[in-house]
Amino acid sequence: RLQHWRKPLSHIPSAFPRIVLTIAMAGSGKRVVVVGHGPIGHAFVEKLSGSGGDFQISVLCEEPRPAYNRVMLTQYFQDRDGDKHDRMKLSYWSEAQLKESGVSLTYGRATAIDREAKEVVYSLRAGGESARLSYDYLVLATGSFCFVPPTPGMTLPDRRNPQWPDDPASRPENVFVYRTVEDLEALIAAVGRGAKTAAVIGGGLLGLETAKAVYDLRLESHVLEMAPYLMPTQLNEAGGSVLTKKIEDLGIKVHAGVKIEEVLVRDGKAAGVRILEKGAQQPVELQADVVVVSCGVRPRDELARACGLEIGGRGGVKVDEGLRSSDPAIFAVGEVASIGGSFCYGLWAPGVEQADVLVKRLVEGEASAAYHKSDLSTKLKLMGVDVASFGRDEGFWFKRQFDGKDPGVRSLECFNELDGSYRKLCFSADGQRLMGGILVGDAKDYGKLLQLSKKDDLGGKTPESLAFGRAAPGDGAAVDGGDGTGLADDDVVCTCLNVSKGDIKKAIIEEDATTLPLLKKCTKAGTGCGGCCTPVGAVPGVLAATLKALGKAGSEGICPHFACSRRELLDIIRVKQVRSFEGALREAGKGEGCELCKPIVASILASLWNDHILREGRDQIQDTNDRFLANIQKTGTYSVIPRCAGGDISPDELIAIGRTAKKFGLWTKVTGAQRLGMYGAPSHQLPAIWKDLVAAGLESGHAYGKALRTVKSCVGSTWCRYGQQDSVSMAVTLEDRYKGLRAPHKIKMAVSGCLRECAEAQGKDLGLIATAQGYNMYVCGNGGARPKHAVLLASGIDEATCLKYADRFLMFYITTAKHLQRTAPWLEELPGGIEYLKKVVVQDGLGIGAELEAMMLQNISEYKCEWREVVYDEGLQRKFRQFANTDETQDSEQIEYIDMRKQRHPNTYDLPDIVGPARFSASAAADTWEWVCAGAAADYPANGGLAVKHGSAEIAVFHLPGRAAEDGRWLATQNICPHKQARTISRGLVGVTAEGRITVADPCYKTTYDLKTGEGIAKPELNLSTFPVREEGGR
């Protein structure tokens, strides 16, 4: 825990004890002391240490670890690796790296600046005594602290700590701020003590980041914002309202326009918040076990005030264009720097720019650089929702041009009710310049729009085309030089570090940075929020396009075992009539396969031949959902979702589902896809559950597969007075035709009976909307994390034509898309886009229409209900036994169940990871160990595993028959996965790396382990116990 420093030091008396530390550092140049080792302090240290200048650099760090990525702080809930000190996933440099770079790191809190002696006084963390650091140049990078208003119950005024505004001792228990790893650890500890509800005070940027944190902790969450809507500084009311709806859709309650009267404290602990809701006459008490205050930040300028430096009008250290304070030896960067005394930037990018300028001036002289202002534009993902605000200059926000406050600014707004997104773009009065904009829900155009707002024209676009996503008349010129990225060289691809596409290309060409890790190292792109380097970010696209232009295009192979793409592999399998994974390896691959290529080959085989996926060894190449014909849940149990074609279901079928759920004790829910789901089924009970459902005439809904899921429908002309066609019958026809169809990703369809679009067909991979003339067909739309509106393929077509076009469209997608690529991004990458797709599907311009239709008819003819096949095949049923060595069963779930909302279900928390070395190792088996029979060798699948019962414990035993006994033919590990503690390791996919390492991937979270040693691969801190195995007499 952090220690509390309580004695304020406003001046330095002559008798003050002096302990001056002499620190051995390379070089004999100027002594530069940096106070504060946050992200901006580290950016300055990193740049100065790498500048080649002759400096002695020391940094004074208040936190108990070196700098880490505060922008990505919510990631800590997944990692929880604070015990790794300087080697957290969020860490920038370790202590060793700092030392290697000639930087001396000291842990302690600065308490005063002796300007006359040019020394910083600080308190040592161990023991609390004071010491001093001497400087020639002092750089204040103290950042900011979380502002806690003087509302009753939020603070303990008598325990205020002037030298540490964020001191947790100055607040009642369970009243938190959100700033450091220690703050998050305190929140986690509160949840461990039983906290269930949380109130976040503040709905700005920091408040919504905090809301994400408490949401990740599975707390019932409330956001309290005094303004009428969320993010009032960056958004207008319309944008804030759209953001509110999206956040409330996640289950978080937003209270906007409220007055916070008091934080309720009982027995010294937070118990809730008394608020006056907007429009209410009487206040109400909102129960909350924890209260997190996120009302903005204030600069940490207490050191500057105490030593007499000039302070800005709104706080912070007043600095000039050289970041120099009123003392020529003292500088400030980041959130504590008040530029010209008027404004402190609270964003990452301005702080990095300030660090750049200061380093350049220290190394090259004062005339080399100057800092005046930074762009306030920002793009964030708040609780999964993209939010962006950008402007030509600071006037966009200060003058609130997006609110119609400036008569010289005109705007266009676009609400997309289908995906819930909002866009407002502001233009000059003559419509010739983009002044700024607000994007909520869909910010993919942020980079292009931001660059356009800095230019003197619209780049050949029109205001309408920019606001509504339409092509401008005559638009067709490629700003990207024809590389397909859609980005000009001066477009910024990493807004956190202001890295342009040109910077990325230069690093690739001149510094041979041909991988993402090398690009991050060379350009720092992706080291901020990280969004630009994700698979859908701009940097990977620029990397691929540049490598292709250089003739260095990287391999598009699936994995080390298959050098070809999915499309090429599908063609090989189809032409050579391959029916097995081993055959695919012989014809197109090498080695033994892995957890990446096995499911891809399994999907291709199913798409082409539609053989039962559990027969002839195909079960051991399936992902766990397909392997058990059900969707795995976090407890290691499965969901069972029967098909409900078109949403049409009889009372008898409803009764059968209810009776089955009661018989097996399953939790039931109407799913988001118009079906009934049953949850909590152990794998060994699945065949018995299916038997009851099949007997009632139900069949598999393929909710577990990358296949057709559902065809949603409204009631259509059967009941609705507006219905143009019988949408239910058409939906049932589509679902019966394409059920069981395996694809690169899941497929969803819908049929609406009229233009009112109640079935939301324009948000599906394939959608039909009825008209008086027939149907309009839309394709390549999808919801999910990146929603996309479908596009019109054909209009006014009859049912037979609908099916013909659907056959061609689906098979063309299946045979050409990448693995796990939805139809929307597939269409975006398809050369020629929708016009080319019309040529293939509608016009049959390639002459392959008949072939695509024949492939679909073969798939349809081979369909069999996968559940029914298991129910009536004893051999397949044995694949679902819980244990290989006994017919006994036991409850394998590790998590407790609770009663809530009239049903019983798992508690909402996740079990913690089991970190550290494994307890047992096969290589260190003691002589006292005893051999235990693990069942008949013939019962074990080739290249797969089964669970073995040993008392109440479970062991996972794997069989690799192609290997010698001494080389891992039989391997055994614990069955419980250290990550979240589900007993599922035996169901994992077995693979072999290019280096010959035998691996297993946990089926729940895909955490990978070395099967021989038990060592964690993806997460080295997670390890499996391993055990010796031998085969005797067929046992």
Side-chain angles (χ1 to χ4, degrees):
R1 291 184 175 274
L2 290 174
Q3 296 192 19
H4 303 158
W5 284 260
R6 302 208 176 280
K7 296 182 179 179
L9 187 61
S10 58
H11 66 283
I12 304 173
S14 58
F16 192 89
R18 293 168 61 91
I19 305 175
V20 181
L21 294 189
T22 301
I23 301 173
M25 292 181 288
S28 58
K30 295 286 188 180
R31 296 165 299 175
V32 179
V33 173
V34 183
V35 178
H37 197 211
I40 304 307
H42 177 75
F44 172 77
V45 167
E46 182 180 0
K47 293 172 189 297
L48 187 61
S49 65
S51 68
D54 187 13
F55 298 99
Q56 298 179 36
I57 307 170
S58 60
V59 58
L60 187 59
C61 181
E62 183 178 72
E63 292 189 55
R65 58 180 57 80
Y68 53 89
N69 190 336
R70 225 182 288 276
V71 177
M72 299 285 287
L73 196 54
T74 53
Q75 176 66 33
Y76 185 78
F77 289 114
Q78 279 71 53
D79 304 330
R80 300 195 183 186
D81 55 355
D83 57 331
K84 292 188 175 180
H85 185 53
D86 60 341
R87 297 180 183 273
M88 302 186 303
K89 287 191 177 178
L90 294 176
S91 299
Y92 291 127
W93 281 2
S94 66
E95 293 175 356
Q97 288 173 298
L98 286 164
K99 187 175 181 180
E100 289 170 5
S101 299
V103 179
S104 175
L105 174 66
T106 301
Y107 292 110
R109 175 168 294 118
T111 55
I113 300 170
D114 187 338
R115 292 168 57 189
E116 184 176 348
K118 285 194 172 182
E119 292 174 350
V120 177
V121 183
Y122 67 95
S123 296
L124 294 169
R125 295 190 56 81
E129 67 270 18
S130 295
R132 294 174 175 240
L133 280 173
S134 298
Y135 66 84
D136 294 307
Y137 296 131
L138 176 63
V139 179
L140 297 177
T142 49
S144 60
F145 67 92
C146 295
F147 172 64
V148 180
T151 303
M154 283 193 192
T155 63
L156 302 172
D158 59 322
R159 300 178 71 177
R160 178 176 172 271
N161 186 346
Q163 293 170 358
W164 186 17
D166 285 336
D167 186 349
S170 66
R171 302 184 300 272
E173 186 176 345
N174 285 359
V175 176
F176 302 102
V177 295
Y178 180 82
R179 190 70 176 166
T180 68
V181 165
E182 277 62 43
D183 293 331
L184 269 62
E185 288 283 10
L187 272 171
I188 293 169
V191 174
R193 293 192 297 268
K196 301 293 184 184
T197 58
V200 176
I201 298 178
L205 286 174
L206 183 62
L208 295 182
E209 280 294 319
T210 307
K212 173 65 163 62
V214 298
Y215 177 77
D216 286 343
L217 287 171
R218 306 291 196 271
L219 296 176
E220 178 186 319
S221 306
H222 297 259
V223 176
L224 312 179
E225 169 56 46
M226 283 67 81
Y229 52 89
L230 296 178
M231 290 184 64
T233 302
Q234 292 83 11
L235 302 180
N236 62 350
E237 186 166 3
S241 299
V242 170
L243 179 60
T244 296
K245 183 179 185 306
K246 284 186 171 291
I247 288 177
E248 287 192 326
D249 286 344
L250 297 173
I252 295 171
K253 178 61 178 173
V254 176
H255 307 258
V258 301
K259 179 182 179 182
I260 313 294
E261 294 193 344
E262 180 184 4
V263 171
L264 305 173
V265 180
R266 300 188 181 100
D267 299 324
K269 297 181 180 180
V273 186
R274 181 181 291 115
I275 61 174
L276 184 65
E277 296 269 19
K278 183 179 180 180
Q281 299 299 316
Q282 297 295 326
V284 295
E285 292 187 358
L286 181 67
Q287 179 188 348
D289 300 321
V290 298
V291 175
V292 190
V293 184
S294 298
C295 298
V297 296
R298 300 290 186 271
R300 286 283 302 271
D301 57 13
E302 66 272 14
L303 285 172
R305 290 178 185 272
C307 74
L309 292 179
E310 189 173 351
I311 302 300
R314 298 181 179 181
V317 182
K318 181 180 178 180
V319 296
D320 60 17
E321 63 180 18
L323 289 310
R324 191 189 303 269
S325 73
S326 54
D327 184 324
I330 300 177
F331 304 83
V333 292
E335 293 169 302
V336 75
S338 178
I339 309 304
S342 61
F343 185 72
C344 295
Y345 286 92
L347 300 173
W348 175 315
V352 174
E353 292 171 8
Q354 293 164 18
D356 277 333
V357 169
L358 182 52
V359 168
K360 195 172 183 65
R361 288 173 70 96
L362 291 177
V363 175
E364 301 178 20
E366 294 187 359
S368 61
Y371 179 84
H372 299 288
K373 63 180 181 179
S374 288
D375 193 350
L376 288 171
S377 302
T378 184
K379 173 175 175 270
L380 300 163
K381 185 176 284 290
L382 298 169
M383 310 193 71
V385 181
D386 283 328
V387 178
S389 176
F390 65 93
R392 177 172 291 267
D393 53 37
E394 64 273 12
F396 183 73
W397 296 275
F398 294 165
K399 296 179 181 179
R400 295 194 70 83
Q401 292 175 341
F402 53 85
D403 258 347
K405 306 286 186 183
D406 190 332
V409 174
R410 306 284 181 87
S411 63
L412 290 174
E413 286 183 293
C414 177
F415 288 90
N416 187 337
E417 294 187 5
L418 188 69
D419 63 13
S421 64
Y422 170 76
R423 173 182 295 209
K424 181 173 185 176
L425 299 185
C426 301
F427 301 89
S428 58
D430 59 6
Q432 298 302 306
R433 290 178 297 157
L434 178 62
M435 307 302 291
I438 292 169
L439 310 172
V440 180
D442 181 0
K444 65 178 181 296
D445 293 334
Y446 168 76
K448 298 175 186 177
L449 292 171
L450 173 61
Q451 298 306 309
L452 202 57
S453 71
K454 310 302 180 186
K455 298 177 180 178
D456 292 330
D457 57 34
L458 299 181
K461 306 288 185 180
T462 66
E464 294 81 7
S465 68
L466 293 172
F468 305 117
R470 300 197 303 256
D475 188 17
V479 299
D480 57 13
D483 66 9
T485 62
L487 299 167
D489 280 356
D490 60 351
D491 283 348
V492 173
V493 294
C494 174
T495 55
C496 292
L497 280 301
N498 197 34
V499 181
S500 69
K501 174 188 174 183
D503 295 330
I504 298 294
K505 289 174 61 178
K506 183 178 179 181
I508 296 169
I509 297 169
E510 297 182 7
E511 301 181 54
D512 203 28
T514 56
T515 66
L516 281 178
L518 288 174
L519 278 175
K520 288 183 178 182
K521 185 176 181 180
C522 288
T523 67
K524 304 304 177 186
T527 59
C529 73
C532 62
C533 285
T534 64
V536 294
V539 174
V542 175
L543 173 61
T546 307
L547 288 176
K548 184 176 181 180
L550 294 172
K552 296 181 179 180
S555 171
E556 295 184 359
I558 292 170
C559 70
H561 304 101
F562 290 95
C564 51
S565 66
R566 178 192 177 276
R567 178 176 182 174
E568 292 166 339
L569 183 57
L570 183 142
D571 289 338
I572 293 169
I573 290 175
R574 180 163 63 92
V575 170
K576 298 198 174 186
Q577 297 286 298
V578 174
R579 296 268 180 167
S580 67
F581 181 73
E582 292 74 19
L585 279 174
R586 283 194 305 271
E587 297 293 346
K590 62 182 179 180
E592 300 174 60
C594 63
E595 74 276 6
L596 297 176
C597 60
K598 286 182 177 181
I600 296 176
V601 173
S603 173
I604 292 173
L605 293 174
S607 296
L608 291 175
W609 317 127
N610 210 2
D611 295 326
H612 197 286
I613 61 177
L614 301 189
R615 296 189 190 277
E616 300 175 12
R618 287 185 290 273
D619 55 327
Q620 295 305 317
I621 61 171
Q622 309 291 338
D623 199 1
T624 188
N625 289 352
D626 286 301
R627 161 69 180 82
F628 288 93
L629 309 179
N631 220 327
I632 197 168
Q633 307 300 319
K634 70 175 186 178
T635 61
T637 59
Y638 293 82
S639 61
V640 177
I641 302 178
R643 186 166 300 285
C644 179
D648 194 16
I649 190 167
S650 71
D652 286 339
E653 290 170 331
L654 287 170
I655 291 169
I657 291 173
R659 185 168 54 240
T660 302
K662 289 188 69 174
K663 177 179 177 180
F664 291 94
L666 306 177
W667 184 72
T668 55
K669 184 185 182 299
V670 177
T671 72
Q674 207 178 48
R675 297 191 286 191
L676 288 169
M678 294 167 277
Y679 296 78
S683 59
H684 63 276
Q685 288 187 354
L686 289 172
I689 294 170
W690 299 334
K691 184 176 181 180
D692 287 2
L693 295 174
V694 167
L698 294 161
E699 60 183 356
S700 166
H702 288 91
Y704 48 84
K706 303 304 181 190
L708 173 70
R709 296 290 179 86
T710 60
V711 184
K712 188 176 181 180
S713 72
C714 63
V715 297
S717 59
T718 306
W719 292 98
C720 180
R721 64 188 185 276
Y722 301 113
Q724 296 289 319
Q725 304 288 345
D726 184 358
S727 58
V728 178
S729 293
M730 187 62 178
V732 172
T733 297
L734 286 172
E735 192 153 350
D736 283 342
R737 184 176 183 85
Y738 302 120
K739 60 188 178 185
L741 177 66
R742 290 304 204 286
H745 212 300
K746 61 187 174 185
I747 298 172
K748 294 186 178 183
M749 303 182 186
V751 184
S752 286
C754 70
L755 294 176
R756 285 173 174 78
E757 246 284 70
C758 294
E760 300 170 324
Q762 293 175 85
K764 299 293 186 286
D765 298 284
L766 189 150
L768 300 177
I769 300 177
T771 67
Q773 292 75 36
Y775 289 96
N776 293 341
M777 177 178 284
Y778 292 82
V779 295
C780 300
N782 59 249
R786 294 180 61 82
K788 192 75 175 179
H789 199 287
V791 292
L792 182 66
L793 182 71
S795 58
I797 55 178
D798 58 25
E799 292 187 12
T801 306
C802 284
L803 297 180
K804 178 171 72 173
Y805 289 174
D807 284 356
R808 293 177 179 179
F809 162 69
L810 291 169
M811 267 303 165
F812 189 54
Y813 160 64
I814 288 170
T815 54
T816 60
K818 300 173 183 175
H819 184 57
L820 297 182
Q821 187 177 44
R822 293 291 300 269
T823 55
W826 168 72
L827 180 62
E828 288 178 350
E829 291 186 5
L830 196 65
I834 187 61
E835 295 305 319
Y836 178 73
L837 188 60
K838 288 178 181 179
K839 179 180 178 181
V840 174
V841 173
V842 178
Q843 303 160 16
D844 195 15
L846 301 184
I848 60 173
E851 182 181 359
L852 295 173
E853 292 170 39
M855 292 174 65
M856 181 61 76
L857 289 176
Q858 177 183 332
N859 197 290
I860 293 170
S861 67
E862 295 295 331
Y863 170 79
K864 296 182 180 65
C865 173
E866 292 169 347
W867 289 355
R868 176 181 286 274
E869 293 289 292
V870 173
V871 166
Y872 294 107
D873 187 316
E874 292 185 3
L876 291 179
Q877 288 178 35
R878 287 187 62 80
K879 295 179 181 290
F880 292 83
R881 291 175 62 197
Q882 187 174 16
F883 300 115
N885 62 332
T886 179
D887 288 330
E888 295 178 17
T889 60
Q890 70 178 22
D891 182 3
S892 289
E893 292 181 84
Q894 298 286 99
I895 199 167
E896 67 175 347
Y897 272 68
I898 59 174
D899 293 317
M900 183 183 291
R901 301 185 302 272
K902 301 178 289 187
Q903 293 197 76
R904 183 173 175 269
H905 65 75
N907 209 330
T908 52
Y909 65 81
D910 285 330
L911 289 168
D913 294 347
I914 304 173
V915 299
R919 185 177 180 186
F920 303 112
S921 171
S923 61
D927 294 337
T928 55
W929 287 20
E930 297 180 355
W931 290 100
V932 175
C933 181
D939 287 345
Y940 281 82
N943 302 308
L946 293 175
V948 172
K949 188 175 185 294
H950 181 55
S952 61
E954 298 181 15
I955 309 297
V957 178
F958 297 88
H959 184 207
L960 285 77
R963 291 183 166 266
E966 65 277 7
D967 190 34
R969 179 183 298 168
W970 291 97
L971 297 166
T973 71
Q974 66 190 58
N975 197 34
I976 187 170
C977 181
H979 184 52
K980 310 294 187 186
Q981 300 191 43
R983 293 185 175 183
T984 55
I985 292 295
S986 61
R987 303 177 225 162
L989 273 174
V990 177
V992 180
T993 68
E995 299 77 26
R997 197 176 192 184
I998 306 173
T999 64
V1000 64
D1002 157 52
C1004 273
Y1005 298 101
K1006 312 305 180 190
T1007 311
T1008 52
Y1009 302 92
D1010 186 311
L1011 259 183
K1012 279 188 175 182
T1013 65
E1015 295 172 347
I1017 298 174
K1019 296 188 174 183
E1021 68 275 17
L1022 305 180
N1023 298 280
L1024 300 175
S1025 288
T1026 58
F1027 307 93
V1029 190
R1030 71 186 187 197
E1031 182 180 348
E1032 285 185 358
R1035 307 291 286 177

